[in-house]
């Protein structure tokens, strides 16, 4: 499904149908295997804490959450932070196996990743960025961008590891991680 401006739109129905890009099978994860612009057109709800929501394997991808959320079933409570799941799947993943370069120039913005079993967002390639993303109640770290930037984002009630990791971190808030 394409918007008028050529951006690929993703909602629950599209995710479950598959074929967002070549090699994307029905259901989760949504596999983004081609450079381009992608935008959520609705909230994505995952069936369990062990399912990756969106996996990006291509360089030069922009994913606009468009004010929507990616939601898993994990719940975390504060003081100390404890989560029902820890060590599960990642909400938005752009991280290749050891020995393979992770996707570069990946940009994620404008939404929430909540209730994942593992990381909210994990992107390890060069030139990656996360902007205006709220990572809430994930079993692992909130936002990890290895060789990139995290700007104007929030990490709250995430269960393990660091709240926000980036080469450059500006204007972020970290609460009860």
């Amino acid at each position: 499904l394409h918007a008028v401006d050529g951006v690929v739109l993703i909602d629950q129905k599209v995710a479950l149908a598959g074929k967002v890009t070549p090699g994307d099978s029905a259901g989760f994860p949504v596999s983004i295997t081609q450079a381009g612009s992608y935008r959520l057109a609705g909230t994505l709800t995952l069936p369990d804490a062990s399912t990756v929501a969106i996996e990006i394997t291509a360089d030069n991808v922009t994913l606009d959450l468009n004010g929507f959320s990616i939601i898993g079933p994990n719940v975390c409570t504060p003081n100390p932070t404890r989560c029902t799941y820890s060590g599960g799947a990642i909400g938005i993943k752009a991280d290749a196996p050891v020995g393979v370069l992770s996707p570069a120039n990946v940009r994620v913005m404008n939404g929430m990743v909540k209730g994942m079993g593992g990381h909210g967002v994990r992107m390890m390639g060069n030139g990656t960025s996360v902007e205006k993303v709220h990572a809430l109640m994930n079993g692992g770290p909130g936002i990890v961008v290895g060789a990139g930037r995290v700007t104007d984002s929030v990490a709250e009630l995430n269960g393990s590891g660091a709240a926000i990791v980036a080469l450059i971190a500006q204007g972020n808030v970290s609460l009860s991680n």
Side-chain angles (χ1 to χ4, degrees), residues 107-123:
R107 181 178 180 210
V108 175
M109 58 194 174
N110 302 326
M112 180 182 289
V113 181
K114 176 183 176 184
M116 302 307 301
H119 292 67
V121 178
R122 180 174 174 86
M123 303 190 314

Side-chain angles (χ1 to χ4, degrees), residues 38-116:
Y38 302 83
R39 181 182 307 134
L40 289 190
T43 291
L44 301 181
T45 303
L46 301 205
D48 57 62
S50 299
T51 300
V52 172
I54 298 176
E55 184 165 16
I56 300 166
T57 60
D59 295 340
N60 305 311
V61 168
T62 298
L63 175 60
D64 184 352
L65 301 178
N66 197 27
F68 292 106
S69 299
I70 295 171
I71 299 178
N74 205 10
V75 175
C76 303
T77 56
N79 300 323
T81 299
R82 296 178 198 269
C83 301
T84 52
Y85 303 99
S86 184
I90 298 167
I92 300 170
K93 179 181 178 186
D95 181 16
V98 174
V100 178
L101 287 176
S102 291
N105 302 314
V106 175
R107 181 178 180 210
V108 175
M109 58 194 174
N110 302 326
M112 180 182 289
V113 181
K114 176 183 176 184
M116 302 307 301

Side-chain angles (χ1 to χ4, degrees), residues 118-134:
H119 292 67
V121 178
R122 180 174 174 86
M123 303 190 314
M124 301 307 289
N126 291 326
T128 54
S129 70
V130 173
E131 305 159 35
K132 298 178 182 169
V133 170
H134 190 163

Side-chain angles (χ1 to χ4, degrees), residues 21-43:
T21 58
D24 179 36
S25 55
F28 293 101
V30 172
S31 297
I32 297 177
T33 62
Q34 292 182 321
S37 294
Y38 302 83
R39 181 182 307 134
L40 289 190
T43 291

